[in-house]
């Protein structure tokens, strides 16, 4: 019966009844930590791009920045990954597009590259956020299904009418 009482209490929380506290809250750290992670991801990508700059094309450098956006989105959510995407575009422009160490662009084709890079980062952020939400929802539904299965087994094992009446009273 303790199992049944615990299940009734959890179902009440999930339905939003008195004392409810269950919600799909993300598993992400505080905002300052997430923003610092976005900044760190861009810094790491910039150092890696700096080392590879003489060896690879600018398209490859863009992919390195986007991989940082994916990492930030996976661990810190869409807000920090949007920040990483914007900072990545700025860092890419500043360090790897002529004239170097300015935000000026000598070749207008790079404006298109910046826009595509930014839009891709935003898309990655949005999709990763949705995926994270769906995964949390699936985990919650899995827990609920396990609890309902446990409740079913407990109800099947009831062999006396007074026990069944107590369970019914708890569910109401």
């Amino acid at each position: 019966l303790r199992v049944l009482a615990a299940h009734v209490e959890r179902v009440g929380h999930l339905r939003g009844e008195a004392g409810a506290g269950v919600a799909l809250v993300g598993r992400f750290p505080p905002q300052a930590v997430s923003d610092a992670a976005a900044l760190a991801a861009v810094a790491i990508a910039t150092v890696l791009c700096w080392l590879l700059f003489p060896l690879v094309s600018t398209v490859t450098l863009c992919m390195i920045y986007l991989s940082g956006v994916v990492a930030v989105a996976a661990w810190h959510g869409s807000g920090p990954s949007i920040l990483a995407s914007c900072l990545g575009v700025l860092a890419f422009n500043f360090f790897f597009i002529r004239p170097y160490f300015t935000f000026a662009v000598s070749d207008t084709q790079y404006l298109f590259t910046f826009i595509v890079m930014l839009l891709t980062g935003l898309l990655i952020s949005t999709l990763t956020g949705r995926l994270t939400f769906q995964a949390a929802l699936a985990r919650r539904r899995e827990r609920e299904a396990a609890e309902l299965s446990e409740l079913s087994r407990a109800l099947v094992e009831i062999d006396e009418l007074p026990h069944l009446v107590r369970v019914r009273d708890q569910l109401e």
Side-chain angles (χ1 to χ4, degrees):
L1 285 178
R2 279 184 270 145
V3 169
L4 294 175
H7 175 73
V8 169
E9 182 179 317
R10 284 189 206 117
V11 170
H13 283 288
L14 293 172
R15 288 186 185 147
E17 295 171 358
V22 176
L24 277 181
V25 177
R27 56 175 172 67
F28 303 119
Q31 189 64 40
V33 173
S34 296
D35 290 346
L39 186 60
V42 172
I44 290 168
T46 302
V47 169
L48 186 58
C49 287
W50 188 264
L51 296 172
L52 295 174
F53 184 51
L55 307 172
V56 298
S57 71
T58 55
V59 173
T60 304
L61 301 179
C62 289
M63 294 302 114
I64 292 171
Y65 279 108
L66 288 176
S67 64
V69 171
V70 170
V72 171
W75 284 298
H76 296 281
S78 60
S81 64
I82 290 170
L83 175 64
S85 181
C86 294
L87 291 175
V89 169
L90 292 173
F92 176 70
N93 179 20
F94 190 79
F95 291 107
F96 305 109
I97 303 302
R98 288 190 179 145
Y100 302 120
F101 307 113
T102 69
F103 290 108
V105 179
S106 63
D107 189 352
T108 56
Q109 80 175 14
Y110 284 113
L111 294 176
F112 180 72
T113 303
F114 298 151
I115 291 169
V116 170
M117 190 175 164
L118 184 62
L119 290 176
T120 303
L122 295 176
L123 179 65
I124 289 169
S125 301
T126 302
L127 292 177
T128 305
R130 285 184 191 172
L131 182 64
T132 301
F133 176 78
Q134 291 298 326
L137 186 62
R139 283 190 298 274
R140 186 181 97 180
R141 287 180 179 163
E142 181 183 11
R143 280 192 310 272
E144 289 174 359
E147 291 169 356
L148 286 173
S149 175
E150 193 174 347
L151 173 63
S152 296
R153 272 186 262 122
L155 286 173
V156 167
E157 292 174 0
I158 292 176
D159 57 353
E160 295 178 16
L161 187 59
H163 291 268
L164 185 60
V165 170
R166 267 197 312 226
V167 169
R168 186 200 64 201
D169 292 341
Q170 287 180 344
L171 291 174
E172 292 177 346

